[in-house]
Amino acid sequence: MKFLQFFLALTILITIHELGHFYFARKFKARVDKFYLFFDFLFPFAGLLNFSVFKKKIGETEYGLGWFPLGGYVQIAGMVDEQMDKSQIDTPPQPWELRAKPAWQRLLVMLGGILFNLILGFFIYIMVLFVWGKDTLPVDKLQHGVVVDSTAYYIGLRNGDKLLSINHEKITSLNRVAVMIIMNKAKSIEVNRDGRELSFPISDNDISLILKRLRKSAFVSPRLLIIIDSVLKGTVASKIGLLKGDQIIKVNMDTVLYQEKLRPALLKLKNQEVTFTVKRNDQELALKGKLDSTAMLGITQNRKLFYPIETKQYSFFESIVQGFKDGIENIVMQAKQIVVLITVKDAYQQVSGFYSIYESMPEQWNWEHFWTFTGMLSLVLAFMNFLPIPMLDGGYILFILIEMVTRRKVSEKIIYYANNVGLVILLILMVYANTDFLRLK
């Protein structure tokens, strides 16, 4: 299921992106020789392992499915593309070639993929809000505060703190705390501790630590009382008489009101007789039993009891407004990520690729997650392709803009060799990003 969701999202986004280039090329009567989902060669080696899973020529265009699932392409006559065909730059431009078209038409052709990804991304954001609404986890509704990981503890936060603000800007949702700190390069976090408001400074080194641990730990999470949701058969919990709805408040004489204290307390008492004090129907009961060598009780908790998730529903027109706001915020976040990569210590080590994306997919099919992910990734692809790196759409756009400003066309040979440099840069980045399964364990 994880693979299918990931594969389908990627297929939709590649097809839509290439359709953008195809649409404008055909609109301006530039010949499109190929339209391929995935590469029919071992990218970036255009002459190696050339074959298609499927292909069919309709009119002057060959439509096909390649075997190498790393992207896709449209081959437009008169354009140096992924196949790096140098022969055309030594011949005069023909009327059906892209290089013979006015600069503004070439600009729209190169912007086509980006525009289509933007349209798709915003449309998905709007429809997701309209159909499912938006879930938030308000920090001011967490009655027992938060549980902190080692990085948050190092900064100065403690279990039970109630979060107030970051850089004195109110925190709207718990699941955005780490993101706000990293992307805004926050300088402080404000909390309420036992009725006192405290502020803790955040250094660049702290941000680096948060970024490194973000895949393994949540930085902060809701603090949970130990209220049993179910008892597994044949376990210690079932033998000593624990029931659904019981709240564990003591282990022997030690008070353990919260979940983060239960496991350490049990580990100290493995293979020993233990007295559990529980609250049942507003009465306190003492239940005795012996732990085994694993010190596992065999209970589950309903975390939703302590997760005051709020779902806001939107009318269609409200979805349009909020969808554009969320989409623009996503794009701004991509720009901030570039800044973080450049300015935060060791941030480059957290660059990830397909493996991390695949791992983020749910194990069961979830349409809300699927479309939210696809919309987000569509806007990410639009932003990344807009970067002025030769071989990306942004590189071509840059050359065309230079031409439009200077009134002089950039030499096709310069574009060709710049694309070679850009291709090397992209390959290095791709190899590094897609070794995340080795670096980010």
Side-chain angles (χ1 to χ4, degrees), residues 208 211-212 340-341 343-351 432:
S208 179
L211 190 58
K212 285 180 182 178
V340 168
L341 283 173
T343 61
V344 174
K345 179 185 176 183
D346 297 330
Y348 70 92
Q349 295 178 3
Q350 306 307 309
V351 172
Y432 183 76

Side-chain angles (χ1 to χ4, degrees), residues 232-244:
L232 305 180
K233 292 181 179 180
T235 61
V236 173
S238 66
K239 292 175 183 178
I240 66 176
L242 288 172
L243 301 176
K244 178 177 180 178

Side-chain angles (χ1 to χ4, degrees), residues 37-49:
L37 172 63
F38 308 143
F39 294 109
D40 56 338
F41 57 90
L42 182 60
F43 179 84
F45 309 105
L48 193 60
L49 300 177

Side-chain angles (χ1 to χ4, degrees), residues 228 231-232 234-243 246 248 250 266 272-278 280 285-291 296-299:
I228 298 172
V231 176
L232 305 180
T235 61
V236 173
S238 66
K239 292 175 183 178
I240 66 176
L242 288 172
L243 301 176
D246 286 352
I248 298 176
K250 285 185 181 180
L266 294 178
Q272 297 182 38
E273 290 283 343
V274 181
T275 299
F276 294 91
T277 303
V278 302
R280 181 183 296 171
L285 303 175
L287 303 174
K288 294 183 179 181
K290 185 177 180 179
L291 296 177
M296 299 292 289
L297 273 182
I299 62 174

Side-chain angles (χ1 to χ4, degrees), residues 28 126 133 138 153 172 346 349 361 382 386 393:
F28 299 131
I126 291 166
Y153 188 92
T172 56
D346 297 330
Q349 295 178 3
M361 306 302 290
F386 194 69
D393 295 343

Side-chain angles (χ1 to χ4, degrees), residues 136-143 145-146 162-165 170-175 177 220 308:
T136 60
L137 184 53
V139 295
D140 56 0
K141 300 291 179 66
L142 298 175
Q143 296 180 4
V146 297
K162 296 181 179 179
L163 306 184
L164 300 175
S165 57
K170 185 179 178 181
I171 301 169
T172 56
S173 183
L174 188 68
N175 48 24
V177 171
V220 290

